């Protein structure tokens, strides 16, 4: 399930037609030292690619709120882990 479609109650299977694969997306500006991971449908993946992460987040404030409320759900790797 695409997290954005889920939060906005969009029927993502209908909107995406035959593109039913979800894309794993990393957000770099949400957490200070960590990457946030989310699953997006093709449409939202295209959108974030086109307008960029910051504007994407501004468009979907519900997503920002959800990430803040459920940090662990979005917890990704820390880029600092590989630097030792
Ligand atoms: Zn979506």
């Amino acid at each position: 399930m695409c997290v954005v479609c889920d939060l906005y109650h969009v029927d993502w299977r209908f909107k995406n037609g035959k593109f039913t694969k979800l894309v794993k997306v990393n957000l770099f500006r949400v957490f200070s030292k960590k990457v946030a991971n989310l699953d997006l449908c093709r449409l939202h993946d295209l959108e974030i690619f086109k307008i960029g992460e910051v504007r994407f987040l501004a468009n979907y404030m519900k997503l920002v709120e959800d990430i803040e409320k459920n940090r662990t759900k979005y917890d990704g790797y820390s880029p600092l882990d590989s630097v030792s």
Side-chain angles (χ1 to χ4, degrees), residues 1-62:
M1 168 66 100
C2 166
V3 271
V4 177
C5 288
D6 188 25
L7 289 169
Y8 286 86
H9 307 292
V10 173
D11 185 346
W12 70 276
R13 283 185 193 279
F14 176 73
K15 264 188 88 172
N16 284 272
K18 61 183 170 158
F19 300 102
T20 51
K21 262 195 191 158
L22 292 175
V23 185
K24 286 239 175 276
V25 174
N26 292 324
L27 299 182
F28 297 92
R29 294 166 194 269
V30 181
F31 301 136
S32 59
K33 286 172 186 167
K34 269 194 173 176
V35 172
N37 274 324
L38 31 138
D39 290 327
L40 292 181
C41 65
R42 186 170 177 277
L43 288 177
H44 282 126
D45 179 46
L46 277 177
E47 189 177 349
I48 201 169
F49 178 75
K50 265 200 301 201
I51 68 176
E53 183 181 326
V54 173
R55 279 177 61 201
F56 185 82
L57 289 171
N59 280 357
Y60 298 106
M61 286 311 289
K62 275 190 186 179

